[in-house]
């Protein structure tokens, strides 16, 4: 847009010079308010995304309207992540300019440390970034070498498409490439069909999100198209990406720049139709081509979600990620905003932290989640009923209480919990 304006101005200047008599035009008054980053300090999206601007989330006749996803009593990832504005570590430098996203997270892919954030648990629509959940479900259940045949219904799915055609034959690995590289809703539909259909696939995706501790997330469609009750958060997308990057196949898929994708045969029912040849499929994530050490990620957009984005990079063995939600493609593109936040994250001290993607466990109800380290005022019986991820039960607490008394037990319990958390961090 800026290039077009500048070019037009230069052309106008040349015309004036040639004519020599036309006075310069008076500067026009702005027709719209300049874009500013949304202020989320008052938590406008604590319980639900902003109202939809279209009919995409109207339930089908006879279906109930989903209620908002419940808000956990304790913030998942740490107490600071309950805040809705910008959250920075102590003595952190100022943020880079032109970050237009309503919510974002910068985190360490490997350790799970959250380095900085803005409205991390705000509820937003994920758009196609939710395909990361579909990818994880598909990778766990489908044979990537199996060949499947596409139907006309697969090819006609709404939204972005990789280019699947009726009677085309594709391996599941190729469908996964089309899913993450080109955000193909047609590939998502064909994968979901093998997973039991859209409804069954959505259930599997929601179960996986809940098991990970992503309790701001409720999937409504396999592809990320907006639907009734669709919700996620910058924190949840970071948590999902943190998990997905532990899968070597997922990491390979998102880092692939180009690959050959199959064509499909002509349709005999269409006069003069022709076979579609194979074609080169390019990754739509521009970070991959333009940022040093980029690992790939996932893009997303719908009218209601606006721009969503997940991306990561490796600098000298340190791997960081950025998630963006509720973003606009101004004043710079989302991947460029992600690049600036990655630069910011890599410049922070290695021990800088405002929260964590680790040390989480789901509540028994499955509807809320709390920190893995339970509050110290809880009884020993209540504490022993909680199993933190990757840790053992504190089964010697009762014996210590008997031996040294109530005061001594409290001190020991605090030391044990501190040691466990330190061990997990290491």
């Amino acid at each position: 847009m800026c290039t077009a304006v500048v070019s037009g101005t230069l052309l106008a200047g040349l015309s004036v010079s040639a004519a020599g008599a036309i006075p310069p035009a008076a500067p026009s008054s702005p027709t719209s308010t300049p874009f500013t980053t949304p202020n989320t300090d008052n938590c406008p999206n604590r319980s639900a995304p902003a109202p939809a601007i279209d009919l995409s989330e109207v339930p089908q006749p006879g279906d109930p309207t989903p209620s908002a996803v419940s808000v956990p009593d304790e913030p998942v990832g740490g107490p600071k992540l309950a805040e809705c504005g910008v959250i920075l570590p102590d003595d952190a430098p100022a943020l880079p300019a032109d970050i237009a996203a309503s919510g974002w997270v910068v985190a360490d892919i490997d350790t799970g440390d959250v380095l900085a954030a803005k409205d991390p648990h705000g509820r937003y629509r994920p758009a196609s970034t939710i395909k990361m959940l579909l990818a994880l479900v598909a990778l766990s259940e489908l044979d990537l070498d199996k060949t499947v045949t596409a139907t006309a219904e697969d090819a006609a799915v709404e939204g972005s498409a990789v280019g699947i055609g009726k009677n085309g034959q594709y391996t599941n690995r190729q469908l996964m490439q089309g899913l993450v590289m080109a955000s193909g809703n047609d590939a998502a539909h064909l994968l979901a069909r093998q997973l039991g259909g859209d409804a069954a696939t959505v259930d599997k995706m929601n179960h996986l999100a809940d098991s990970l501790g992503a309790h701001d997330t409720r999937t409504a469609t396999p592809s990320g198209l907006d639907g009734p009750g669709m919700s996620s958060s910058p924190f949840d997308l970071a948590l999902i990406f943190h998990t997905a990057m532990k899968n070597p196949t997922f990491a390979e898929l998102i880092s692939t720049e180009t690959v050959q994708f199959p064509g499909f045969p002509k349709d005999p029912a269409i006069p003069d139709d022709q076979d579609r040849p194979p074609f080169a499929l390019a990754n739509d994530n521009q970070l991959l081509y333009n940022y040093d050490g980029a690992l790939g990620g996932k893009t997303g957009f719908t009218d209601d979600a606006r721009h969503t984005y997940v991306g990561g990079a490796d600098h000298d063995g340190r791997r960081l990620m950025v998630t963006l939600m509720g973003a606009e493609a101004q004043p710079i593109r989302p991947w460029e905003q992600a690049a600036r936040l990655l630069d910011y994250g890599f410049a922070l001290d290695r021990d800088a932290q405002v929260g964590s993607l680790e040390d989480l466990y789901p509540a028994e109800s499955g509807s809320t989640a709390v920190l893995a380290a339970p509050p110290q005022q809880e009884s020993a019986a209540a504490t022993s009923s909680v199993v933190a991820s990757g840790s053992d039960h504190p089964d010697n607490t009762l014996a210590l209480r008997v031996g040294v008394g109530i005061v001594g037990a409290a001190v020991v319990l605090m030391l044990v919990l501190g040691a466990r958390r330190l061990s997990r961090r290491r």
Side-chain angles (χ1 to χ4, degrees), residues 118-172:
K118 178 175 184 283
D119 200 16
H121 283 294
R123 270 71 186 279
Y124 301 92
R125 296 170 181 86
S128 285
T129 56
I130 207 66
K131 286 184 171 82
M132 294 189 297
L133 266 183
L134 174 59
L136 288 177
V137 172
L139 286 173
S140 70
E141 294 195 22
L142 300 180
D143 178 0
L144 295 186
D145 296 322
K146 178 183 177 181
T147 299
V148 293
T149 301
T151 66
E153 182 182 6
D154 297 323
V157 169
E158 175 189 358
S160 58
V162 62
I164 285 173
K166 178 183 175 182
N167 294 326
Q169 293 193 326
Y170 311 90
T171 66
N172 281 326

Side-chain angles (χ1 to χ4, degrees), residues 196-249:
D198 283 3
T201 301
V202 165
D203 286 344
K204 291 177 180 181
M205 293 167 68
N206 284 329
H207 177 75
L208 175 58
D210 188 67
S211 68
L212 295 178
H215 298 291
D216 301 319
T217 296
R218 179 167 57 202
T219 302
T221 64
S223 66
L225 287 174
D226 296 321
M230 182 75 93
S231 173
S232 192
S233 69
F235 180 91
D236 280 12
L237 292 185
L239 180 58
I240 293 166
F241 191 65
H242 172 57
T243 302
M245 287 299 286
K246 298 175 183 178
N247 186 306
T249 303

